Amino acid sequence: MKYIIALDQGTTSSRAVLFSENGEVVDIAQKEFSQIFPRPGWVEHDPEEIWNTQHGVLTEVMNRNHISPRDIVSIGITNQRETTVIWDRYTGQPVMNAIVWQDKRTVPICEEMKEEGLEKYVRENTGLVIDSYFSATKVAWILRNVAGAREKAEKGDLVMGTIDTWLIWKMTGGKVHATDYSNASRTMLYNIRTMEWDHHLLCRLDIPENMLPSVYPSSWHFGEFNMDGTSVPIGGVLGDQQAALFGQACFNPGDVKNTYGTGCFMLMNTGEELRESSSGLLTTIAWGIGRKVYYAFEGSVFIAGAAIQWLRDGLRILDATEDSEYFAGKVANNDVYVVPAFSGLGAPYWDMYARGAIFGLTRDTGKAHLIKATLQSMAYQSKDLLETMQKDSGLEIHTLKVDGGAAMNNYLMQFQADILGTLVERPAVTESTALGAAYMAGIQSGLWKQDDIPGKRKIDRIFKPVISSEERSRLYNGWKKAVSRTQGWLNEE
Ligand code: ADP
């Protein structure tokens, strides 16, 4: 038996997922690591702890299944995106902890960039909006604030990387300093038109180019990990959301996946041609494979599963998030809308002054109505995103592929199909992120062919729309009206 292992380096835990040669999950090992909060708004990870936990779970999953390095055809890496590490190219020592994507310390650097009028340039050349999320300002911050870092960087002694790059460096014993297109496209330093590091932005942020990794396709021989004398190739690398898009076999333009977690992450494959959104969606590189590069639109819902947690922990009207399905089934009709704009609204509204509200309350409204309406809000917000993607890409959407914790909720998925008027497909293996990295590695090693993957995937369930188009319009118009009443809330007299 041959295996592929995916290393899934997430924001709160490191996981190793063992796949059989048939693409089935054999076993998963997982270990959480420390979240470091040095000040309000700052979030760091210890790069050595990331590596130790990642290496630890890899060993654990192999030992538990009595697998030797020779049984592993290839390793795929998928990772939390944007999080940035800078280390010494000679000693391998990080100059400080990794600055995590959630970290807000570089907001002032973003403001500087906006004041310099760089927004249009950044959007057109990196596909992104200027935000502290992305790696660029994190690198600039480290060079400005860590004692001696600027001098060492000017001398060429320092290198930077996103987490994939750090793991590749560690696995190859410092021989390889590389990343893939999908991760590079999240740095806000990579020009997704010319497919090279962007000189203009490097210059503006005073970042020496020799700090940056080489950029390769996502399915590529990145190097070898020496395990007890056996060299195991690293054959696939891609950022977590793009990995999920690939793992869901969204290989063609117009294919979309939505991950229902704390927030929702929706990505649409827009093909080989770079498209720009007029509604504030991000344009990102989905992956590079062979000689081709595929682009994607990306949008997110800030509050999705988090609203269900609010029902459970804030309002205490649910014992467990899964019980929401039961309560949604208890009330038939529904004219209640919950708009969970707890911290404003993202695409397509982009309103940081919006705040949450509940509409349509009557004397008979009970907790089941609130729970049902909150589940529906995830589907409505996802529809808002999907409509935007459809409009900005001009591509027709037939099926939405879903994953993430809340995609297990059958009521929510049926309502999603109803409100979209498209099929909603839930795969049997919901480990889409790990699967995407495994597919890339498997394709690189020749174990799998990309064309065979869609036929091999097992579907758990397809949800078909059952409501009439009149009913769909009535419901969605109600949602739009509810959203409009929350907009600009903090600004009003
Ligand atoms: P993340 O990766 O963002 O932590 P997960 O994919 O683990 O998220 O999903 C957890 C989120 O999904 C939580 O916010 C939880 O409230 C929500 N959730 C999980 N199961 C259900 C369910 N059956 N119905 C509705 N929401 C759910």
Side-chain angles (χ1 to χ4, degrees):
M1 189 71 177
K2 293 286 179 197
Y3 300 91
I4 299 271
I5 294 190
L7 303 183
D8 180 359
Q9 207 303 305
T11 307
T12 56
S13 72
S14 297
R15 293 157 27 103
V17 185
L18 181 67
F19 288 95
S20 69
E21 57 196 331
N22 305 321
E24 273 150 20
V25 176
V26 179
D27 196 8
I28 301 176
Q30 174 164 3
K31 194 158 178 18
E32 291 193 7
F33 56 86
S34 321
Q35 306 293 314
I36 305 163
F37 306 108
R39 292 194 201 177
W42 293 25
V43 190
E44 298 181 356
H45 292 157
D46 175 355
E48 298 294 352
E49 193 184 358
I50 285 190
W51 165 242
N52 290 333
T53 51
Q54 193 61 75
H55 191 199
V57 290
L58 171 62
T59 312
E60 184 184 331
V61 84
M62 287 175 64
N63 288 346
R64 197 156 62 205
N65 294 277
H66 311 290
I67 287 167
S68 93
R70 282 186 301 280
D71 303 326
I72 304 169
V73 180
S74 186
I75 294 176
I77 297 176
T78 177
N79 56 288
Q80 52 167 322
R81 304 176 302 172
E82 297 113 10
T83 298
T84 304
V85 197
I86 294 186
W87 65 97
D88 185 300
R89 93 165 66 236
Y90 302 106
T91 66
Q93 279 287 334
V95 300
M96 65 167 285
N97 281 333
I99 303 186
V100 180
W101 56 272
Q102 298 145 327
D103 190 292
K104 294 275 181 220
R105 79 185 69 183
T106 64
V107 166
I109 306 182
C110 295
E111 292 307 321
E112 276 172 34
M113 292 178 74
K114 287 181 193 164
E115 276 158 30
E116 283 184 46
L118 281 169
E119 265 166 308
K120 184 161 179 283
Y121 184 87
V122 166
R123 201 175 47 247
E124 285 176 0
N125 293 284
T126 70
L128 307 174
V129 295
I130 295 178
D131 198 280
S132 56
Y133 235 64
F134 307 111
S135 318
T137 57
K138 301 181 195 297
V139 180
W141 190 92
I142 295 172
L143 294 183
R144 289 184 195 183
N145 291 282
V146 173
R150 155 81 34 213
E151 295 72 41
K152 285 184 83 178
E154 296 295 345
K155 267 179 36 198
D157 292 357
L158 298 186
V159 291
M160 74 74 72
T162 40
I163 295 298
D164 54 311
T165 306
W166 171 246
L167 293 178
I168 297 168
W169 177 277
K170 284 299 217 184
M171 292 168 83
T172 60
K175 284 202 193 82
V176 181
H177 182 223
T179 189
D180 87 302
Y181 294 135
S182 72
N183 275 295
S185 75
R186 312 298 297 185
T187 57
M188 210 169 86
L189 291 171
Y190 195 67
N191 192 309
I192 63 170
R193 294 180 180 276
T194 61
M195 301 298 285
E196 54 195 18
W197 295 111
D198 189 282
H199 296 284
H200 184 57
L201 289 172
L202 288 173
C203 191
R204 288 293 188 104
L205 288 166
D206 218 355
I207 299 171
E209 189 173 355
N210 63 11
M211 291 183 74
L212 301 169
S214 307
V215 190
Y216 298 114
S218 317
S219 191
W220 186 258
H221 183 78
F222 281 86
E224 273 154 15
F225 183 33
N226 187 317
M227 295 173 90
D228 304 326
T230 303
S231 289
V232 182
I234 304 166
V237 173
L238 70 179
D240 54 10
Q241 295 306 324
Q242 289 96 326
L245 188 68
F246 198 77
Q248 287 270 27
C250 291
F251 298 157
N252 298 306
D255 288 352
V256 196
K257 72 93 195 174
N258 196 19
T259 302
Y260 298 78
T262 314
C264 286
F265 273 102
M266 190 181 284
L267 266 76
M268 176 201 248
N269 182 328
T270 58
E272 292 174 63
E273 194 184 320
L274 193 152
R275 289 168 203 263
E276 271 182 66
S277 161
S278 50
S279 324
L281 298 169
L282 303 178
T283 303
T284 207
I285 299 180
W287 50 75
I289 192 161
R291 290 171 182 280
K292 292 182 177 165
V293 169
Y294 287 83
Y295 293 94
F297 272 152
E298 175 169 325
S300 54
V301 170
F302 300 151
I303 305 289
I308 306 296
Q309 290 169 311
W310 166 70
L311 297 178
R312 186 192 60 191
D313 308 333
L315 298 189
R316 294 175 192 270
I317 57 173
L318 270 180
D319 288 332
T321 53
E322 337 35 303
D323 297 348
S324 57
E325 185 171 337
Y326 163 79
F327 286 106
K330 282 189 55 158
V331 280
N333 193 9
N334 200 338
D335 291 310
V336 176
Y337 289 88
V338 171
V339 183
F342 299 154
S343 50
L345 289 165
Y349 308 104
W350 289 114
D351 184 348
M352 59 185 185
Y353 300 107
R355 282 299 176 272
I358 304 172
F359 297 93
L361 298 176
T362 49
R363 182 63 187 84
D364 66 326
T365 304
K367 82 174 191 180
H369 295 90
L370 285 188
I371 293 167
K372 187 167 189 167
T374 306
L375 283 173
Q376 291 175 341
S377 75
M378 281 196 240
Y380 285 126
Q381 292 179 93
S382 298
K383 180 176 168 85
D384 288 341
L385 276 181
L386 198 67
E387 295 238 310
T388 308
M389 289 190 175
Q390 218 157 339
K391 178 169 74 60
D392 286 0
S393 67
L395 295 164
E396 191 74 30
I397 290 144
H398 304 289
T399 304
L400 177 70
K401 298 185 179 183
V402 299
D403 51 48
M408 291 302 124
N409 188 310
N410 293 315
Y411 167 73
L412 171 61
M413 293 300 107
Q414 182 57 49
F415 186 74
Q416 185 72 82
D418 284 339
I419 204 67
L420 290 175
T422 61
L423 302 177
V424 168
E425 182 186 298
R426 187 170 65 197
V429 176
T430 49
E431 292 288 338
S432 311
T433 306
L435 194 54
Y439 281 160
M440 280 296 177
I443 291 168
Q444 201 279 326
S445 66
L447 182 68
W448 295 323
K449 286 203 187 65
Q450 190 179 347
D451 291 346
D452 296 341
I453 287 173
K456 283 202 177 137
R457 290 177 75 248
K458 293 200 182 74
I459 307 301
D460 168 47
R461 193 160 159 190
I462 294 179
F463 298 85
K464 298 191 181 91
V466 292
I467 62 172
S468 66
S469 56
E470 291 76 32
E471 179 66 353
R472 178 175 309 123
S473 303
R474 189 186 73 78
L475 288 169
Y476 193 50
N477 288 339
W479 166 255
K480 289 281 197 191
K481 188 159 89 179
V483 169
S484 72
R485 306 275 159 105
T486 70
Q487 287 179 284
W489 176 256
L490 293 185
N491 276 343
E492 283 168 26
E493 289 295 295

